[in-house]
Amino acid sequence: MVAVALGLTMMTAPVQAWELNSPYKDDLTIRHNVEMFISDASEEMDVAFTAITKIGKKSDDGIKVSFGWEGLEAGGQVMEDMMFDGNLDGHGFLKSMDDGDDMRNMWAPFFFVYPGQAVEKGSEWSAKDKEEGLSFTFEAMGVKKLKETETMHVKMKFKSASSSSVSGDGEFWVRKDGMIMKYEIDVSNWFIPMAGQVFDGSIEGVLDD
């Protein structure tokens, strides 16, 4: 069973604080327009797609989720639309995927982990899968406007102590309702099971609403 530890460290200075709670509810569908650049020792590739997140029912295992893509183009080739099933915990941490840990480690950086309480500039929180060693740390950078909308700007770092050894960092811009307006993620040693290869990459996603 996956065990997730979540801790929150708050700064004491009186600055603007936001409640950062998960927006996930039954039958919610979220779309982000994603552009990626991935590379390994022999090739470089531009990838574009619409990322689809479909939130299902809550259960004893957490929150059911389906995640995948529509309209994926990779290196000029159009790929078949695909969805993958998994489970989130109440904070949005991707606990498991039905297709195994490699698939979970691939998708996990896309999922923001909500602290479930008020944060302000300098607040830090973390989440960790104790069995697989996949860990995330987050730091709130303060309120920033994105296209005239106020967001909480949050920086992320992640790594895995397992054989996959994926690592990286990223930034999220989170609306007051918990929706992710934008994310930018850099990954190293990122195994993509569908390709059977390890890549380094940069990912940008923008909310399509």
Side-chain angles (χ1 to χ4, degrees), residues 23-25 27-32 50-55 66-68 114 178-180 207-208:
Y24 299 149
K25 57 185 180 181
D27 302 321
L28 175 67
T29 298
I30 305 167
R31 290 177 167 83
H32 287 87
T50 299
I52 310 295
T53 305
K54 293 184 177 182
I55 303 301
S66 294
F67 188 77
Y114 295 86
M179 296 295 287
I180 307 299
L207 182 66
D208 182 0

Side-chain angles (χ1 to χ4, degrees), residues 130-157:
K130 293 182 178 180
E131 293 181 5
E132 295 297 324
L134 186 65
S135 61
F136 293 80
T137 59
F138 297 84
E139 180 180 0
M141 307 306 293
V143 176
K144 301 282 180 68
K145 275 198 171 181
L146 190 66
K147 293 185 177 180
E148 302 306 315
T149 299
E150 285 194 335
T151 68
M152 181 62 73
H153 179 207
V154 179
K155 289 192 174 181
M156 169 190 73
K157 292 185 180 295

